[in-house]
Amino acid sequence: MPRTSKKLVLAVIDGLTPAMLERGLEEGRLPALGLLHEAGTYARGTTTFPSVTPVCLTSIATGGHPDVHGIPHLVWYHRDEERVVEYGSSFAAVRAAGTRRSLRDSIFAMTNEHLAAEATTVFEALEDEGFDCGAINFTCYRGRTRHAIKLPVPVGRNRWYEAAWGPRRFFFFNLYEWDTTGAPLAIRSRPEGSIDAYAATIGRWLVTRDGFDFLVFYLPDYDYASHIVGPEAAVAALERADSSVGELMAAAGGPEEFLDRYAIIVCSDHGQTRVDRIARLQDAYSDLSVFTGRRGTYPADADVVVTASNRSGMVYALSGRSPRELAERLDGAAGVDVVLFREGGEAVARRGSAELRFGPGADGWNTNGNDEVLDSARYPNALERSWCALECANAGEVIVSAAAGWEFEDLGRRHHAGGGSHGSLLAGDSTTPIIAARPDGLSLPDAPRITDLAPPRLAHLGVQPPASMGARVGRGV
């Protein structure tokens, strides 16, 4: 493939919904994003499932769904290690699972151990071809360069934290920093947008030095604010994210100078919807022995493992119970909308007592049953996303998507009632905005998915996408 001289930035605003972006543009509140919107193309895309940050960011990095990259949820059961992995549903959930183990899982193990070895990241693919890559605060960061931790830490026998493998220009919440930039502490005042401000300082530093061929610029503070007040009320946080993007353009000398030098894609990883009601997914199995992963408990005598967070959850069968039995127990359960499981080589989606069986065929999807169970207007790209979630080696035998307005209580018994949440198959959690400005031939397919972003990023720089960034499942459906 021919190489282009223009470099590339991918800016990810966590949790940004199309409706909030479009409202902000219409009201003139987002000058930086407005300039990019006018200079490029805009589309509504679809994320992966479950639509939670670790899964979605890993799909952006690898171009694959969970069946490819192996990250099944924000919280999941590790069958080989017989424990629950908790990436940070809440501080209470982290404490309940074990703080030290959860910090290791979320900061280090997710990318360096849990991410499937065969799932090539964009950083690996580009750096193997000699490109300089950068990432700021991006949780799926696996690359080819070893970075020593920057903070002073005690010497001990367990030195898992001493280094991480990321792209060459890697910055991760002050823990791992490729160079000294003058950036302040990232986690000092999240309600005031301190993480986005940290990213903006580093981004400005890199653009001033033209220090990369490809940069992932991750801004998580809008999602944080949306969880607290709901996505429609987090306007100030979105304005701060817009300002952070504006810092990149200012560092290049202005919008035109920036776009002469860089192509830029702006997207979110998932949507977000308001929640007011809370359910405990494990209550449907109250007559069984349930392991939830709390520190000091063990799964040896458990019948099932139940892991839930935000607006989705999973059930793992430990005592030989069939996935159908576990799924049918959720009929009519509080907060449950769609229940997914595998049976006879097919996927089954169950809503109430109605079912749809499906699987990929030569020319699309083969289906049998009630098509309204996964109506495409209500659940975008649901067949592909559901199939790939079930095919993930680390997923539960049963996967649950929450009903509108409901959230599942996490391991620490925390929730976001009165604010926003995400994770389900529903359109509000699953639809993402995508702006592509001055892409120089980089194009997205009709009805783009976030897994479609990785191959064009490589092609833009003249690199052949690896086999793990494969074609769509069930193309043409």
Side-chain angles (χ1 to χ4, degrees), residues 102-254:
S102 293
L103 289 175
R104 177 176 181 178
D105 283 336
S106 59
I107 296 170
F108 182 82
M110 188 184 85
T111 288
N112 291 281
E113 297 173 9
H114 305 156
L115 176 61
E118 59 271 20
T120 304
T121 69
V122 288
F123 307 118
E124 293 169 319
L126 289 172
E127 291 191 333
D128 286 347
E129 296 298 323
F131 289 98
D132 274 340
C133 295
I136 304 172
N137 296 339
F138 196 66
T139 58
C140 184
Y141 54 74
R142 194 172 69 195
R144 303 303 192 196
T145 303
R146 184 181 186 274
H147 297 270
I149 194 168
K150 288 294 185 183
L151 297 181
V153 293
V155 175
R157 289 179 297 175
N158 183 7
R159 296 295 300 274
W160 57 265
Y161 47 74
E162 70 179 11
W165 290 86
R168 182 183 175 197
R169 306 180 194 280
F170 178 49
F171 300 86
F172 194 79
F173 299 96
N174 301 111
L175 294 175
Y176 302 101
E177 295 184 322
W178 172 72
D179 206 341
T180 302
T181 64
L185 284 176
I187 303 176
R188 64 184 192 280
S189 180
R190 289 213 68 185
E192 297 177 359
S194 63
I195 294 180
D196 287 2
Y198 169 83
T201 300
I202 294 172
R204 183 174 63 242
W205 188 92
L206 287 168
V207 170
T208 299
R209 291 156 179 79
D210 198 21
F212 57 86
D213 296 302
F214 171 63
L215 172 68
V216 176
F217 184 63
Y218 175 55
L219 304 172
D221 284 334
Y222 174 77
D223 182 74
Y224 174 83
S226 295
H227 276 301
I228 296 172
V229 300
E232 299 84 4
V235 178
L238 181 53
E239 290 174 337
R240 288 192 293 267
D242 178 85
S243 178
S244 295
V245 175
E247 290 279 358
L248 301 184
M249 294 191 282

Side-chain angles (χ1 to χ4, degrees), residues 75-77 84 280-285 289-294 302-309 313-318 326 330 400 408-409 411:
V75 55
W76 55 281
Y77 179 64
V84 164
R280 284 167 45 91
L281 190 59
Q282 60 265 39
D283 287 350
Y285 306 97
S289 175
V290 179
F291 178 67
T292 60
R294 295 188 71 85
D303 297 308
V304 295
V305 180
V306 178
T307 62
S309 179
M314 297 188 293
V315 183
Y316 295 78
L318 298 187
L326 298 177
L330 295 168
V400 185
F408 296 128
E409 184 181 271
L411 181 59

Side-chain angles (χ1 to χ4, degrees), residues 293-342:
R294 295 188 71 85
R295 183 178 53 186
T297 63
Y298 304 94
D301 298 320
D303 297 308
V304 295
V305 180
V306 178
T307 62
S309 179
N310 286 267
R311 289 179 33 76
S312 53
M314 297 188 293
V315 183
Y316 295 78
L318 298 187
S319 60
R321 294 177 183 271
S322 73
R324 173 170 288 279
E325 176 195 344
L326 298 177
E328 289 179 348
R329 282 173 168 262
L330 295 168
D331 289 354
V336 172
D337 184 23
V338 176
V339 180
L340 304 166
F341 61 99
R342 294 287 302 274

Side-chain angles (χ1 to χ4, degrees), residues 61 74 86 93-94 124 144-145 193 219 337 355 369 390 401 406 412:
L74 186 57
E86 171 59 73
V94 165
E124 293 169 319
R144 303 303 192 196
T145 303
L219 304 172
D337 184 23
E355 286 191 357
L390 288 167
S401 177
W406 285 85

Side-chain angles (χ1 to χ4, degrees), residues 432-470:
T432 65
I434 303 173
I435 298 173
R438 303 280 180 88
D440 287 1
L442 183 153
S443 61
L444 297 172
D446 295 335
R449 314 159 307 167
I450 61 168
T451 52
D452 292 322
L453 296 177
R457 280 177 276 163
L458 300 184
H460 176 81
L461 293 169
V463 175
Q464 181 69 37
S468 59
M469 298 179 188

